[in-house]
Amino acid sequence: GWPSGCNLSGVQYDLVDITGPGGIEILRAEDGVYWHLRWGAHYESIIYREIRLKVAEMNARFNETIGGIRIIQLFNREKRNEDDFRDLNHENYKANIKQIHIFAMFSPVINVMASVSIALVIYFGGHGIMDQSITVGTLVIYISYLRMFYRPIRDITEKYNILQSALASAERIFLIFDHDPESQQVPYPQISRP
């Protein structure tokens, strides 16, 4: 959240301030991180809405079944009701699996980007040390700041998953609040008397 964002901005500033143009080159990786985060955010919000809808449908179906169990038994619809609930539960399962797949790609890609950035810094920094164009201390600073750069991004990605779930739930609540029950009522027919 807020501390992670402040830490990230501070690391960006310090990295460029201490290392100069090399820090700017390293921060170009931030573009890939940004677009990956945008992609994940877009698909996670869609999936979480779907999950919340399925959970709401399951709750409504369960409530209707419990409330109307005598009618269901009277018309011998137990098997049909069970099949309908099983189908709805399977749709919920598939939506949750989609969410797990998105999160499974979301977090590891950030870790791979961090590892590749550090590997590149070590590779080019090693050449710089051999050429005596940079010192070992500068290389250590690069590596330390890169680790500090990616730590808040990892924190944000983990918290963002929780935030998306909460936003999807809040969206459902606001839809209920915005619902106008009077617009759904059908007026009683007027019977004209002769």
Side-chain angles (χ1 to χ4, degrees), residues 84-132:
D84 290 346
F85 191 80
R86 184 177 291 117
D87 292 342
L88 193 57
N89 191 31
H90 187 69
E91 289 173 18
N92 180 46
Y93 167 78
K94 288 192 304 188
N96 277 291
I97 291 297
K98 284 184 204 173
Q99 187 273 328
I100 289 169
H101 283 270
I102 294 287
F103 188 70
M105 292 186 330
F106 197 58
S107 188
V109 169
I110 298 296
N111 291 335
V112 166
M113 288 178 174
S115 298
V116 167
S117 296
I118 290 173
L120 288 173
V121 165
I122 291 172
Y123 177 77
F124 289 112
H127 285 291
I129 290 171
M130 299 297 274
D131 297 343
Q132 296 182 346

